[in-house]
Amino acid sequence: MKIKIKYHKDIEKIKPIAIGDFIDLRSAETVSIKKGELKIISLGISMELPKGYYAELVPRSSTAKSFGVILANSIGIIDESYCGDNDIWTFPALAIRDTTIHKNDRICQFRIVKKMPEIEFEEVEHLGNDNRGGLGSTGIN
């Protein structure tokens, strides 16, 4: 499968990795962020995803520890229609401590996922299944 990519900044090129399902993305700029501040960090790329797919954007497992930021909206979804020349991917970073992220630091990762099939809702009075017992019903340990 081929994905068209446009680089907007002079950053290291994206490389698929041999281990894992996600591909790392880099900050396209150096930014300093104060604790509690939100900063939209450019990833310096635009992509044309294959028809029927979207991208899940998440922090790398070491992003909070290494850079002191978390992804402000927990998960990023980039759908296939976000594919114009100036539809630049970004990382909305919320700082948990004062920090500086440098250009080319690997701060997040993505994978592409098949879109949900078209669905239709059927309203019913009863689902006909046993109840699980609510949140946390499988136990504490």
Side-chain angles (χ1 to χ4, degrees):
M1 179 178 300
K2 287 191 180 185
I3 296 178
K4 292 181 185 176
I5 184 167
K6 177 181 177 180
Y7 289 91
H8 296 270
K9 301 272 186 165
D10 182 27
I11 56 173
E12 289 187 39
K13 305 295 185 208
I14 294 174
K15 300 175 194 130
I17 56 174
I19 300 172
D21 293 330
F22 287 78
I23 298 170
D24 291 342
L25 296 173
R26 299 172 182 277
S27 174
E29 57 190 338
T30 296
V31 294
S32 292
I33 312 171
K34 299 285 185 198
K35 180 180 180 178
E37 184 180 11
L38 173 71
K39 177 75 175 180
I40 307 299
I41 300 173
S42 173
L43 300 173
I45 58 167
S46 298
M47 288 190 211
E48 182 182 315
L49 298 174
K51 294 292 181 212
Y53 286 83
Y54 67 91
E56 281 182 347
L57 181 76
V58 297
R60 296 180 73 233
S61 59
S62 61
T63 297
K65 176 182 63 111
S66 298
F67 301 108
V69 297
I70 58 175
L71 181 63
N73 47 339
S74 301
I75 187 170
I77 301 295
I78 303 168
D79 67 44
E80 67 183 272
S81 68
Y82 194 71
C83 60
D85 281 338
N86 292 314
D87 289 337
I88 300 171
W89 291 23
T90 59
F91 181 87
L94 180 60
I96 56 177
R97 61 174 159 81
D98 291 358
T99 188
T100 298
I101 296 170
H102 297 95
K103 183 177 179 178
N104 278 315
D105 282 343
R106 294 180 298 153
I107 59 171
C108 60
Q109 55 190 341
F110 82 100
R111 69 177 177 171
I112 63 169
V113 180
K114 274 194 166 200
K115 289 170 58 173
M116 181 171 62
E118 192 172 312
I119 61 171
E120 177 183 324
F121 291 100
E122 175 187 355
E123 189 172 340
V124 298
E125 291 294 321
H126 301 284
L127 296 175
N129 304 305
D130 292 337
N131 292 321
R132 290 257 322 258
L135 296 174
S137 63
T138 59
I140 295 174
N141 293 331

